[in-house]
Amino acid sequence: MSTTLTAPITYPAELPVSQRKNDIADAIRAHQVVIVAGETGSGKTTQLPKICLELGRGQGRGAIGHTQPRRIAARTVAERIAEELHTDLGDVVGYKIRFTDRSGSRTRVKVMTDGILL
């Protein structure tokens, strides 16, 4: 397994978040806190972590933390992001829920339940 991405990060053109990728990336670069609001299905959950990766976040001492309210949601979101990045689950993208940790020291995006974050 490798912690480097083997393919360039791509964004589905039909998603509203993808269409505003540059604006969102500029806001993340310029501000410590950014709130992105959008319709259900707009790509917030899957595309924002990819934008952060592309900006170089998740390297060095920490990972990109991504919370989901339920265990199944955390697992399926991690699976989806890993699939879109063409990487194995548990490598660049992992998840941690109660009783299960599919992440490691090389994980750059870690999806977890709200309870694990707390």
Side-chain angles (χ1 to χ4, degrees):
M1 280 196 243
S2 168
T3 58
T4 59
L5 300 173
T6 57
I9 297 175
T10 59
Y11 301 88
E14 66 276 5
L15 295 176
V17 166
S18 298
Q19 295 168 11
R20 301 293 304 269
K21 175 186 152 304
N22 293 333
D23 295 331
I24 294 167
D26 290 343
I28 292 170
R29 271 190 216 96
H31 303 284
Q32 188 174 12
V33 175
V34 176
I35 297 172
V36 178
E39 299 285 329
T40 299
S42 64
K44 300 179 303 291
T45 298
T46 55
Q47 305 312 302
L48 290 175
K50 290 167 40 178
I51 293 169
C52 290
L53 272 176
E54 198 168 49
L55 290 172
R57 303 302 201 270
Q59 296 180 19
R61 293 177 43 156
I64 298 165
H66 187 327
T67 62
Q68 290 293 311
R70 304 281 183 260
R71 287 182 277 174
I72 291 197
R75 190 186 77 225
T76 57
V77 165
E79 289 170 349
R80 177 63 183 262
I81 296 169
E83 178 183 311
E84 288 187 17
L85 291 173
H86 308 286
T87 186
D88 294 329
L89 182 63
D91 188 26
V92 174
V93 180
Y95 69 93
K96 184 174 182 178
I97 59 176
R98 188 173 9 151
F99 308 123
T100 305
D101 188 352
R102 290 283 309 268
S103 64
S105 61
R106 302 180 317 180
T107 298
R108 294 172 62 195
V109 175
K110 188 173 189 176
V111 185
M112 65 198 93
T113 55
D114 299 342
I116 294 292
L117 177 66
L118 295 174

